[in-house]
Amino acid sequence: ETGVTQTPRHLVMGMTNKKSLKCEQHLGHNAMYWYKQSAKKPLELMFVYNFKEQTENNSVPSRFSPECPNSSHLFLHLHTLQPEDSALYLCASSQGSGGEETQYFGPGTRLLVL
Amino acid sequence: GENVEQHPSTLSVQEGDSAVIKCTYSDSASNYFPWYKQELGKRPQLIIDIRSNVGEKKDQRIAVTLNKTAKHFSLHITETQPEDSAVYFCAASRRGSTLGRLYFGRGTQLTVWP
C-alpha cells in the first residue's frame, strides 16, 4: 500500500509548536484532500486541492494552513494548536473530476496536542 | 448540503451470520455511494460503490442496495468472517458537486465473533 504516503505517522506537539504534515501520492492523481478523523465523529473534510489549486476550505481554523506545491505533494502546516485538535489526519487523492471519484487514503498521522 | 446518517453505530455478529449496515441521505441529487472499510490502525479503503442508475451491486460476499425513492442504501455482508471486523463508512456525493466532496456517515464498528 504505497500509493499514498504520509509522514510522520505519529506526532506529539505542544500548543506553541509549529509542525508540518506531509502527504505524497504516487498514483498520478490530480486532486488531494485533507481529512480529520476524531473519535466518534465522521470523517471531516478540511481542504480540497485540484491541480494545485485549493477548491474548498471547509471552515477550518487558520491554525491549519495547507500547501500544495504540485499535484503529488500536499502539506498541512500546524501552529498554535489546541488539545481538541488531537486526531488522526488523513490525506487522500483521486483522479480529479467531480463527485464520483474513488478516493485513496494515506495511513494517516496520529496527532496529539498537549 | 448533504447529510448522511448511518446505523447502527456498533454491530456484533457470529461468524457465518450476515451483517447489514444502513445509510440514509438527504440530497436527492446525490448519485454516487461508496463504502469504505477501515481496519484497526489502518487507512480507509473502498470496498464497493454504487451509482444511482443501478439498484444493487454484488462483489463476492458483499453487496450494496440503493433505494433512490426512499433515499437510503445498505451494505450487506454474508457469511461473515473475523477478518470482516472493522469500521465501515458509507458516503454520498453527486456529479458536478464541489470537487471530491464525499459526505461520510459516522461509521459502524462491526465485530465478528468466531
Side-chain angles (χ1 to χ4, degrees), chain A residues 66-81:
Chain A
E67 178 189 1
C68 189
N70 54 61
S71 294
S72 299
H73 294 85
L74 185 64
F75 295 89
L76 188 62
H77 304 298
L78 316 172
H79 63 98
T80 59
L81 294 191

Side-chain angles (χ1 to χ4, degrees), chain A residues 36-39 82-89 111-114:
Chain A
K36 176 183 179 182
Q37 187 175 32
S38 307
Q82 305 298 311
E84 59 264 29
D85 296 322
S86 299
L88 180 67
Y89 288 85
L111 173 67
L112 177 62
V113 181
L114 300 176

Side-chain angles (χ1 to χ4, degrees), chain A residues 1 4 33 35 37 40-43 45 48 50 56 58 96-97 99-100 102-103 105-107, chain B residues 31-32 36 38 43-46 49 51 89 93-95 97-102 104-106:
Chain A
E1 298 187 28
V4 182
Y33 315 82
Y35 286 89
Q37 187 175 32
K40 299 183 179 180
K41 282 190 174 183
L43 285 161
L45 180 66
V48 181
N50 184 37
E56 182 162 348
N58 201 28
S97 57
E100 296 186 3
T102 298
Q103 293 189 15
F105 285 85
Chain B
N31 57 7
Y32 174 62
Y36 285 82
Q38 187 175 24
R43 71 192 76 193
Q45 289 191 297
L46 179 76
D49 56 16
R51 290 168 171 79
F89 294 94
S93 75
R94 59 183 174 93
R95 181 187 291 278
S97 69
T98 303
L99 177 69
R101 195 64 168 93
L102 281 178
F104 283 91
R106 288 181 172 269

Side-chain angles (χ1 to χ4, degrees), chain A:
Chain A
E1 298 187 28
T2 58
V4 182
T5 58
Q6 289 185 243
T7 55
R9 296 293 309 277
H10 301 273
L11 179 61
V12 179
M13 58 187 290
M15 289 189 284
T16 58
N17 292 158
K18 290 184 180 181
K19 297 286 184 182
S20 295
L21 310 185
K22 178 183 176 182
C23 175
E24 184 173 0
Q25 58 94 2
H26 308 274
L27 301 170
H29 289 165
N30 298 310
M32 297 186 77
Y33 315 82
W34 279 118
Y35 286 89
K36 176 183 179 182
Q37 187 175 32
S38 307
K40 299 183 179 180
K41 282 190 174 183
L43 285 161
E44 300 174 68
L45 180 66
M46 300 174 73
F47 302 103
V48 181
Y49 277 82
N50 184 37
F51 290 96
K52 305 186 299 178
E53 299 296 323
Q54 186 179 128
T55 57
E56 182 162 348
N57 176 337
N58 201 28
S59 302
V60 180
S62 59
R63 58 186 184 271
F64 295 91
S65 175
E67 178 189 1
C68 189
N70 54 61
S71 294
S72 299
H73 294 85
L74 185 64
F75 295 89
L76 188 62
H77 304 298
L78 316 172
H79 63 98
T80 59
L81 294 191
Q82 305 298 311
E84 59 264 29
D85 296 322
S86 299
L88 180 67
Y89 288 85
L90 289 161
C91 173
S93 71
S94 69
Q95 185 60 43
S97 57
E100 296 186 3
E101 297 294 321
T102 298
Q103 293 189 15
Y104 295 84
F105 285 85
T109 295
R110 177 71 63 183
L111 173 67
L112 177 62
V113 181
L114 300 176

